[in-house]
Amino acid sequence: MADTMGNENSSVTENDANDDLPVDPSAVTEEDKKKAEELKEEANAFFKNEDYTRAIEKYSAAIKLNPFVSPYYGNRSFAYLRTECFGYALSDASKALSLDKNYLKAYYRRASANMALGKFKLALRDFEAVTKVKPNDKDARVKYNECNKICKRIAFEKAIASDENFAKSVADSIDIESLVIEPSYDGPHLEDGKVTVDFVNALTEAYKEQKKLPKKYVCQILIQAKNIFCEQESLVYIDVPEKSKFTICGDIHGQYYDLLNVFKMNGKPSEENPYLFNGDFVDRGSFSVECIMTLLSYKLLYPKHFFMARGNHESLTMNQMYGFEGEVKSKYSAQLCELFTEVFNWLPLSHCINKKILIMHGGLFASDEVTLDDIAATQRNRQPPESGIMCELLWSDPQPQKGRAPSKRGVGVQFGPDVTKTFLERNNLEYVVRSHEVKNEGYEVMHDGKCITVFSAPNYCDTMGNKGAYITVTGDNLTPNFTSYEAVPHPNVKPMAYANPFFGLF
């Protein structure tokens, strides 16, 4: 959960904020209490203006002066939710409740964080606690009922998934020939069921005009793409010849018009202009179908020169919460949601360029013992687990300080420059490239130049004001070159337009 607004360099982390706190309420002076309230009001103003990083800084400063006020933690928890730091949000909400078990907003915050992490039963427990305290509160009852519906649906889906009658994959069960192209359709056509250059060029133009590709063609492209991904290992090795350029892009998150702008600036993908897109193609932005279908079409057109890695948002829980499932259902059907999930399950987890640059969506590992062979052998045809190599490849983040720390997201780990150095030396690599986090310039270089973040969705969610970026290298010079760019206009469809209605309850 490109997952991905957090910026550990500019915000005060929870651990920082808890250094040297007063341990006795009587030790807090009236002056400190007054100053803490002023800081809280400043934080609230930043939050209202969607400057969540500055809001977190101010809430943290207030906590440092007076750590015994539950709303400070509750408000900071809300800001962490907005920056996808779900681990910190959980911790702050729990701290708020330890100070005041009747502070109902903290139950909501903790439930929201658990919902975002797919821990619906834990979320339901908090909503239930609120309804017991306030049985006549309609708002609390609505939230409880909505979460309960999700829990029941998941239980039902698990039950039918265990039935052998449902074991057959969606890709195998679809009868392509029975799908009909309407006579009125005037968009691009596959040629003998295959993607061509003319098809992709026409498709990008049709999508630009908000036209829709017929379900038959979508199914054909998805099934063919799945077959290609199934043949690859979890770690794909890429050879870039001398003097040849190679482009690495980060999160796209359904921002189709910004994706087209990358191709306008850097050239369309081709055998002479290869690309790697490093996960989080979908969710949040409301043109996710257009993004993923364009990228998969290029994958079919140039299977050895166009690469796609799985991100944390290429997963069922994220798609259910952050918009992709809703968008696919709106534009097509629930069956296609299942087919997309099957394709996402087979996306490679990482890529290695010239055996020197390792690229993954999230980051490095809880153990120093992980090797490239371990990554290649990782079984990936599943939903991401909550720990282990696959989880960490999709969810981890770098931190400036040495060592490791619990993830601010609640999943994966945070790793320092020493962890990066050890991993690179063990595997004879020069540096790692990852995505997963918004950066003001679209990229950031950390860990003595050995850990690079690239994020390609400018003005993320139409609110963050960040630039997007992509990286280019050549086969004989693996030094990264960065290109930053601003967002371009898009049709008047807001981000998260198809997100789970649950988000509207907070």
Side-chain angles (χ1 to χ4, degrees):
M1 58 210 53
D3 76 200
T4 56
M5 292 181 182
N7 187 333
E8 72 282 353
N9 283 340
S10 58
S11 65
V12 179
T13 69
E14 182 187 341
N15 290 334
D16 293 335
N18 287 334
D19 289 343
D20 303 321
L21 296 181
V23 295
D24 183 352
S26 63
V28 181
T29 66
E30 290 302 316
E31 183 179 348
D32 283 345
K33 290 179 182 178
K34 180 181 178 182
K35 179 60 177 176
E37 277 296 301
E38 292 173 355
L39 287 166
K40 183 200 74 173
E41 293 304 317
E42 291 179 36
N44 289 347
F46 282 123
F47 187 98
K48 186 176 181 180
N49 290 326
E50 299 181 337
D51 189 345
Y52 304 119
T53 298
R54 297 286 296 279
I56 289 168
E57 290 174 352
K58 295 295 183 180
Y59 289 133
S60 298
I63 288 169
K64 198 137 191 167
L65 288 172
N66 186 4
F68 305 103
V69 181
S70 56
Y72 296 173
Y73 294 95
N75 290 0
R76 189 172 70 172
S77 178
F78 202 4
Y80 277 138
L81 284 171
R82 291 296 177 88
T83 59
E84 298 188 6
C85 295
F86 303 120
Y88 288 172
L90 282 169
S91 180
D92 269 356
S94 294
K95 178 63 177 178
L97 289 169
S98 74
L99 292 169
D100 181 3
K101 66 179 181 180
N102 295 315
Y103 181 46
L104 297 185
K105 285 184 179 180
Y107 287 104
Y108 289 143
R109 304 290 183 260
R110 191 165 68 182
S112 299
N114 277 319
M115 288 284 289
L117 292 168
K119 298 178 180 179
F120 301 109
K121 288 184 178 179
L122 291 176
L124 186 64
R125 195 179 302 167
D126 279 334
F127 289 134
E128 187 176 21
V130 177
T131 59
K132 286 180 178 178
V133 174
K134 302 179 70 175
N136 297 321
D137 189 308
K138 291 183 179 179
D139 181 60
R141 179 59 58 180
V142 167
K143 290 179 172 64
Y144 172 81
N145 289 339
E146 286 298 316
C147 187
N148 197 27
K149 285 179 187 177
I150 294 173
C151 289
K152 288 181 177 179
R153 186 191 70 192
I154 291 172
F156 174 74
E157 289 172 349
K158 285 183 177 179
I160 64 172
S162 63
D163 189 321
E164 62 180 13
N165 293 325
F166 290 86
K168 191 175 182 180
S169 77
V170 177
D172 293 337
S173 65
I174 292 177
D175 181 4
I176 295 293
E177 298 307 316
S178 69
L179 300 176
V180 178
I181 307 295
E182 295 295 330
S184 60
Y185 174 69
D186 61 353
H189 290 273
L190 296 176
E191 296 182 18
D192 296 323
K194 302 296 182 183
V195 170
T196 63
V197 173
D198 288 342
F199 172 84
V200 177
N201 289 339
L203 178 66
T204 54
E205 290 302 312
Y207 277 158
K208 191 188 298 184
E209 298 172 11
Q210 296 184 269
K211 294 182 178 179
K212 195 168 79 169
L213 193 64
K215 181 179 178 181
K216 179 174 183 175
Y217 290 161
V218 173
C219 289
Q220 286 177 291
I221 290 170
L222 287 173
I223 291 169
Q224 291 173 35
K226 179 187 172 185
N227 291 337
I228 289 178
F229 293 133
C230 284
E231 295 174 356
Q232 296 180 312
E233 289 191 315
S234 293
L235 171 59
V236 175
Y237 287 91
I238 302 171
D239 292 321
V240 180
E242 276 190 48
K243 308 298 182 184
S244 295
K245 182 182 82 170
F246 189 92
T247 302
I248 306 166
C249 295
D251 303 42
I252 297 297
H253 275 302
Q255 297 185 198
Y256 179 69
Y257 296 84
D258 295 308
L259 172 63
L260 292 186
N261 188 43
V262 171
F263 294 153
K264 180 179 178 181
M265 295 173 61
N266 192 55
K268 294 179 181 179
S270 68
E271 291 184 357
E272 294 74 33
N273 193 27
Y275 278 81
L276 164 61
F277 281 82
N278 197 29
D280 281 13
F281 321 116
V282 302
D283 279 339
R284 291 203 176 269
S286 295
F287 304 96
S288 292
V289 167
E290 290 79 2
C291 285
I292 187 62
M293 293 309 300
T294 297
L295 296 175
L296 290 174
S297 295
Y298 274 120
K299 179 62 183 176
L300 293 179
L301 191 58
Y302 306 113
K304 296 181 179 179
H305 298 86
F306 191 89
F307 302 91
M308 298 171 66
R310 190 173 187 174
N312 64 303
H313 276 265
E314 279 69 57
S315 66
L316 184 59
T317 300
M318 295 294 102
N319 295 164
Q320 289 172 338
M321 296 299 293
Y322 289 94
F324 185 58
E325 181 180 272
E327 182 179 342
V328 175
K329 286 181 176 178
S330 174
K331 295 176 179 178
Y332 293 102
S333 66
Q335 183 190 49
L336 269 189
C337 293
E338 297 176 27
L339 184 53
F340 273 110
T341 296
E342 285 188 7
V343 175
F344 290 165
N345 283 352
W346 281 107
L347 284 165
L349 302 177
S350 56
H351 294 77
C352 189
I353 294 177
N354 290 3
K355 298 183 178 179
K356 290 298 180 185
I357 308 171
L358 186 67
I359 306 159
M360 78 292 286
H361 180 74
L364 297 182
F365 312 99
S367 169
D368 284 333
E369 304 303 312
V370 176
T371 66
L372 297 184
D373 288 343
D374 293 328
I375 297 172
T378 299
Q379 198 278 321
R380 70 183 188 277
N381 180 25
R382 54 178 171 157
Q383 289 303 297
E386 294 187 11
S387 62
I389 289 175
M390 180 175 176
C391 169
E392 290 150 6
L393 284 167
L394 299 179
W395 280 96
S396 291
D397 296 288
Q399 62 181 19
Q401 63 270 29
K402 289 184 177 182
R404 294 179 173 88
S407 171
K408 61 189 177 185
R409 302 175 190 269
V411 189
V413 299
Q414 292 181 193
F415 58 97
D418 54 329
V419 176
T420 299
K421 183 174 184 291
T422 298
F423 176 80
L424 294 176
E425 289 175 351
R426 181 178 181 85
N427 291 281
N428 195 29
L429 297 166
E430 291 188 8
Y431 61 92
V432 296
V433 175
R434 41 87 64 181
S435 302
H436 198 37
E437 290 181 286
V438 173
K439 300 298 176 185
N440 288 337
E441 295 300 313
Y443 70 93
E444 184 177 61
V445 181
M446 295 181 67
H447 297 181
D448 301 316
K450 300 301 184 181
C451 181
I452 297 170
T453 298
V454 60
F455 190 88
S456 301
N459 195 26
Y460 182 45
C461 289
D462 286 358
T463 60
M464 296 300 288
N466 61 289
K467 294 179 181 178
Y470 55 82
I471 298 170
T472 55
V473 298
T474 58
D476 57 333
N477 182 1
L478 297 179
T479 302
N481 299 290
F482 303 99
T483 301
S484 296
Y485 50 89
E486 303 281 356
V488 298
H490 63 75
N492 188 27
V493 184
K494 293 182 179 180
M496 301 286 281
Y498 301 97
N500 192 299
F502 203 94
F503 277 107
L505 299 177
F506 292 94

